[in-house]
Amino acid sequence: MRATVFVFILLLSFFGRSQTGRETRIDSLENALKMVEHDTTRVLVLSELARSYGGVDSLKCFENGFKAIALSEKINYLRGMADANINLAGGYLDYFDVENAKKYFEVGNRLADKLVAKDSSPAHMKIWLRGYYNLGVAYGYEGDVAKEIEYAAKTIPIAQQMGDKLFVANGNTNMALKYNALGIWDKAFEMYKISQKQFQEIGSPEDMLYHSLAFSTCLATMDSLDQMKSVLDIAKTNLDKIPNSFYRGPYYRELGLYYGKIGEYAEALKALDRSKEFYKDRESDHNAKLLYQRYAQTYEKMGNYQKAKEYTLKYINFYNNEHSLSDKASSYFVLAKYDAKLNNYKKAYDYLSGYVVALDSVRVSELGKDIQQLEIQYKTATKEKEILALKNEKNEAALALERKRSQTFMLGAVASILALLLFIGFYAYNQKLRKARKQEEQRKAEVSLLKQDQQNKIFSAMIEGQEKERKRLAIDLHDGLGGRLSGISLNLSKLNKDEPKEYPKAQLQKVTKDLNDALTELRSIARNMMPETLVKFGLQAALKDYCSSMTGSDTKVTLQFYGSEKGISLNQQVTMYRVIQELINNAVKHAKATEVLVQYMRDGNRVYITVEDNGIGLNKTDFEEKESGMGISNLRTRVAYLKGDLEFHSEENEGTTINVQITVDAA
């Protein structure tokens, strides 16, 4: 159901921040997929799995992505369609299939536009941001840097306004990568330092790994080896927090580069071998391709040109066999250099010829761009000449008309001045009326705001008084009447035990049973009026206790509690407890539910509560009648006191879902 999906996406976001490592996140999602019952939830789990498997397992990435798209289209779920298309596009981008990546990004972004037009909530905006930003990254892969920067400029300011620090940090790191690729080292270094600070504040261990490894490559290029080692140490600290991390191979690859740079070749090869061991079952991984390049560089520094050549050939003949023209040119050049060192002059000549051909292709490609630019300029100049010729032809006719125009100019000018004076007078009068209306509207708004504030204060005092009275009554019932009933029960039990012949035993046992039942009911009433568990141990313990008490042979009530109640005032906790208590009672007593799921999620100063049941549900007419009743009205009043929103979703014979979003005083 829609409300469950909303809370579940928040749960996925929580996993992404608090768990360590992509493997743990994937395991959590796979387990969640086995438990979900509703199609909307299943769509988003499949979509998130596609995103998480990107760059790790291409088969599972695309399998889950296409399943998510098919199911979301089947149930016409707009959010799922947007999210699934964008995540599948990200999977294609992870495997450098730019054409398909752009195709699915464009589909997903069109759907995301429709989604945020209907509801621009933070969760929906994050889908929109991810789609447009990564479409820019795809253009960057094709060398269209201007397009990439255009999309970055479109998305990063919006993410900053939303307070999405993680998105901004990733954006800054990606901009640093772009500057690094363009050889603008000082700008790349500056952007890396900014994003490093941002990731240290809010990033997960995996985020810090991603940033540190990218930064270390830049520092290696700049020969800033001391800083490179310190950044790699940060990467290792975070790597140790993530068993079997996806970044283990890249870390040892970059560590090998560092040791090779400082001349410790034995350590360099040891680190590269550890990276190679990681890729033994992933030989087609793009990162393994880069590893061959690191081996070649290390062996070249050692003077072992045969080994350097072997690894360069592995690099140039990698599985996908996809290389840019400049990449091919540089590879042929180093192969020619190695064969020359090995006295293989014929092979060196052949590779040098290949280098020249590749270099010419690079120049032709760049020349083609220059020619296109010249062509645009030429067409513009030609068009300007044509326009100038037409202007000359019209000049003679224009001179003839000019005399007539000058005659009418004075008349027109006088008429215009009169019209302007009339307009200024009318405009000034209209502005005066607008100002008066605006002041009246502001006054009414201020009065309305004061009334609302007064009502909130009255309601707050009322709630607080009710809860104090409930607490007092609960204590009196439990300690006063409860104690007396316990004494009666003990005395009657004693009479039954010591003098069985003087009293009718069967009747005495019935009285004892009735008293015990009354005592149980009394304690239940006392707990409902002011749960002792909530006061002593907090909201989570009280909800767990209440859900257990409502679970019986015919009904199962399950609680899922994520986050904490720390910093939330007792009044707010009690009101939340009352809201959840009322929703569970409605599900069990009125909806005849056999299963009830209660979810509590805390994210900063926002609390999300969902109560979902498999009861009889309501059709639209019945639901409208129920919504106008006292029960739902009281629920809305309590939620309004908590500065929250209440949303119902019910279908006949398919159960009911209630979603509550609350703003608490403590962050």
Side-chain angles (χ1 to χ4, degrees):
M1 294 181 183
R2 189 157 51 91
T4 306
V5 169
F6 179 75
V7 174
F8 191 82
I9 281 301
L10 291 174
L11 181 61
L12 293 180
S13 175
F14 174 79
F15 280 145
R17 294 178 186 176
S18 64
Q19 303 284 347
T20 55
R22 192 178 304 197
E23 292 75 12
T24 305
R25 186 163 69 250
I26 288 172
D27 290 342
S28 300
L29 290 165
E30 291 285 10
N31 290 331
L33 188 62
K34 296 174 184 176
M35 296 187 292
V36 294
E37 298 178 359
H38 302 289
D39 286 341
T40 48
T41 309
R42 184 176 298 278
V43 166
L44 295 175
V45 177
L46 288 167
S47 178
E48 191 66 18
L49 275 169
R51 183 181 176 191
S52 298
Y53 274 121
V56 177
D57 188 326
S58 60
L59 183 64
K60 290 185 178 179
C61 170
F62 297 129
E63 179 185 354
N64 285 292
F66 284 120
K67 282 182 179 179
I69 291 174
L71 182 56
S72 62
E73 289 176 347
K74 179 181 176 182
I75 62 176
N76 195 27
Y77 181 35
L78 180 59
R79 175 177 180 166
M81 286 188 282
D83 195 48
N85 276 280
I86 288 170
N87 285 345
L88 181 62
Y92 277 114
L93 200 59
D94 285 332
Y95 294 98
F96 304 97
D97 186 345
V98 179
E99 185 177 346
N100 274 314
K102 286 171 60 180
K103 171 185 170 184
Y104 283 98
F105 274 133
E106 286 166 358
V107 173
N109 290 345
R110 284 197 298 271
L111 294 166
D113 286 338
K114 294 180 181 178
L115 183 65
V116 298
K118 290 183 177 180
D119 178 7
S120 59
S121 63
H124 293 173
M125 285 302 300
K126 285 182 179 180
I127 296 172
W128 185 90
L129 286 169
R130 194 168 69 249
Y132 275 101
Y133 182 86
N134 285 312
L135 177 58
V137 174
Y139 277 109
Y141 279 18
E142 293 181 325
D144 193 342
V145 179
K147 203 78 171 175
E148 182 175 11
I149 293 173
E150 175 189 335
Y151 282 111
K154 178 179 182 178
T155 53
I156 291 177
I158 295 174
Q160 286 176 321
Q161 291 173 6
M162 290 173 57
D164 192 341
K165 295 181 179 178
L166 190 60
F167 186 96
V168 175
N170 275 306
N172 287 331
T173 294
N174 287 340
M175 288 302 294
L177 282 165
K178 183 55 58 181
Y179 283 125
N180 192 32
L182 294 171
I184 309 173
W185 315 121
D186 56 340
K187 196 67 178 175
F189 179 83
E190 179 185 336
M191 295 301 296
Y192 275 127
K193 292 296 288 184
I194 292 170
S195 58
Q196 182 180 39
K197 184 177 180 182
Q198 292 169 331
F199 277 125
Q200 285 172 339
E201 289 178 0
I202 46 84
S204 67
E206 192 170 80
D207 295 323
M208 283 301 299
L209 270 170
Y210 158 70
H211 171 271
S212 298
L213 294 176
F215 193 8
S216 70
T217 304
C218 173
L219 292 168
T221 308
M222 297 171 68
D223 283 330
S224 183
L225 301 180
D226 289 341
Q227 288 196 65
M228 180 184 182
K229 184 61 169 65
S230 66
V231 170
L232 285 172
D233 288 342
I234 293 172
K236 184 61 167 65
T237 300
N238 288 279
L239 183 66
D240 291 339
K241 299 176 183 178
I242 311 174
N244 303 318
S245 169
F246 168 74
Y247 289 108
R248 188 165 297 277
Y251 166 75
Y252 284 107
R253 184 191 69 216
E254 297 309 299
L255 184 64
L257 174 64
Y258 165 74
Y259 280 125
K261 285 273 186 180
I262 64 173
E264 294 186 17
Y265 303 124
E267 291 296 325
L269 291 176
K270 188 187 297 182
L272 294 175
D273 287 343
R274 292 193 68 175
S275 180
K276 186 178 181 181
E277 176 67 19
F278 180 81
Y279 291 115
K280 67 180 181 181
D281 297 324
R282 306 176 177 90
E283 292 183 352
S284 61
D285 192 303
H286 182 75
N287 285 285
K289 174 182 178 180
L290 299 178
L291 177 62
Y292 297 146
Q293 197 177 56
R294 296 287 187 264
Y295 268 116
Q297 291 166 345
T298 303
Y299 278 118
E300 179 184 357
K301 287 179 177 293
M302 295 170 64
N304 190 340
Y305 299 109
Q306 184 61 42
K307 280 285 189 181
K309 176 184 174 181
E310 289 175 13
Y311 278 103
T312 303
L313 287 171
K314 286 184 178 182
Y315 173 79
I316 200 70
N317 295 319
F318 192 69
Y319 284 81
N320 59 17
N321 202 26
E322 292 179 2
H323 297 272
S324 65
L325 291 172
S326 59
D327 193 16
K328 285 183 179 180
S330 60
S331 297
Y332 287 139
F333 182 78
V334 296
L335 284 169
K337 182 172 64 174
Y338 296 153
D339 269 319
K341 292 285 187 181
L342 295 168
N343 297 323
N344 298 330
Y345 298 114
K346 176 66 170 65
K347 289 292 292 181
Y349 174 78
D350 292 339
Y351 282 127
L352 200 58
S353 299
Y355 163 71
V356 172
V357 171
L359 195 62
D360 285 344
S361 298
V362 172
R363 289 170 179 166
V364 167
S365 176
E366 293 174 351
L367 184 61
K369 293 178 182 177
D370 293 339
I371 289 172
Q372 287 179 352
Q373 187 63 35
L374 286 171
E375 183 180 358
I376 292 169
Q377 293 173 354
Y378 170 75
K379 287 180 178 178
T380 303
T382 303
K383 197 167 288 185
E384 287 175 353
K385 287 181 180 179
E386 291 173 355
I387 292 168
L388 185 60
L390 289 171
K391 282 182 178 179
N392 289 332
E393 291 176 6
K394 291 179 180 179
N395 278 342
E396 293 180 5
L399 287 171
L401 291 171
E402 187 63 30
R403 293 188 184 90
K404 292 183 180 179
R405 287 177 182 171
S406 61
Q407 294 171 0
T408 58
F409 176 75
M410 290 302 295
L411 291 174
V414 172
S416 298
I417 291 170
L418 289 173
L420 181 62
L421 290 172
L422 287 171
F423 175 76
I424 290 172
F426 174 77
Y427 181 79
Y429 176 73
N430 195 38
Q431 283 295 101
K432 188 175 181 180
L433 288 177
R434 281 186 182 180
K435 187 176 180 181
R437 283 197 297 267
K438 188 174 182 181
Q439 288 175 344
E440 180 65 19
E441 289 172 359
Q442 286 177 344
R443 189 186 64 78
K444 288 181 180 179
E446 288 172 0
V447 171
S448 176
L449 191 62
L450 287 171
K451 286 182 179 178
Q452 183 65 38
D453 186 52
Q454 188 66 22
Q455 288 175 354
N456 288 342
K457 288 179 180 177
I458 293 170
F459 181 72
S460 177
M462 179 189 71
I463 291 293
E464 186 175 353
Q466 286 179 349
E467 294 303 334
K468 285 182 179 178
E469 183 64 14
R470 285 173 182 266
K471 185 175 182 180
R472 187 189 66 77
L473 287 172
I475 292 171
D476 290 347
L477 286 170
H478 187 272
D479 296 342
L481 183 58
R484 291 188 179 186
L485 287 173
S486 296
I488 293 170
S489 177
L490 288 171
N491 288 333
L492 288 174
S493 298
K494 187 173 183 301
L495 287 173
N496 180 45
K497 181 178 180 182
D498 296 342
E499 299 174 317
K501 295 180 179 179
E502 296 184 13
Y503 299 95
K505 187 172 183 179
Q507 293 180 4
L508 188 60
Q509 288 174 342
K510 184 178 182 303
V511 171
T512 303
K513 181 180 180 303
D514 290 343
L515 283 171
N516 286 333
D517 290 345
L519 187 59
T520 300
E521 184 176 354
L522 175 65
R523 285 172 178 159
S524 176
I525 292 169
R527 183 177 66 245
N528 288 338
M529 293 185 74
M530 174 52 71
E532 185 178 2
T533 307
L534 190 146
V535 177
K536 288 185 177 181
F537 304 108
L539 181 60
Q540 182 175 3
L543 288 176
K544 184 176 181 182
D545 183 43
Y546 184 73
C547 290
S548 298
S549 70
M550 293 298 289
T551 298
S553 57
D554 297 328
T555 306
K556 180 182 178 183
V557 182
T558 303
L559 173 66
Q560 295 178 353
F561 199 97
Y562 305 102
S564 73
E565 66 270 37
K566 184 177 180 181
I568 303 176
S569 68
L570 181 61
N571 280 344
Q572 288 179 313
Q573 291 188 46
V574 170
T575 307
M576 289 182 200
Y577 178 85
R578 297 292 179 216
V579 170
I580 296 172
Q581 184 183 44
E582 179 68 17
L583 293 174
I584 294 173
N585 283 336
N586 289 345
V588 174
K589 292 180 181 178
H590 303 304
K592 300 180 176 59
T594 59
E595 292 185 5
V596 182
L597 173 64
V598 181
Q599 293 178 322
Y600 172 99
M601 163 66 73
R602 171 93 177 270
D603 184 8
N605 66 342
R606 299 285 289 175
V607 173
Y608 303 91
I609 296 169
T610 294
V611 178
E612 179 179 342
D613 66 65
N614 66 344
I616 58 176
L618 296 169
N619 58 36
K620 186 175 181 181
T621 304
D622 292 340
F623 179 75
E624 288 174 352
E625 291 178 1
K626 292 281 185 183
E627 192 170 26
S628 62
M630 183 65 73
I632 293 180
S633 176
N634 286 340
L635 277 173
R636 290 194 184 279
T637 303
R638 288 184 183 273
V639 172
Y641 166 69
L642 291 169
K643 302 175 186 173
D645 297 313
L646 186 67
E647 178 186 344
F648 287 85
H649 183 74
S650 183
E651 295 182 16
E652 194 169 9
N653 299 322
E654 290 191 14
T656 302
T657 298
I658 300 94
N659 185 31
V660 182
Q661 302 178 32
I662 296 168
T663 302
V664 297
D665 294 335

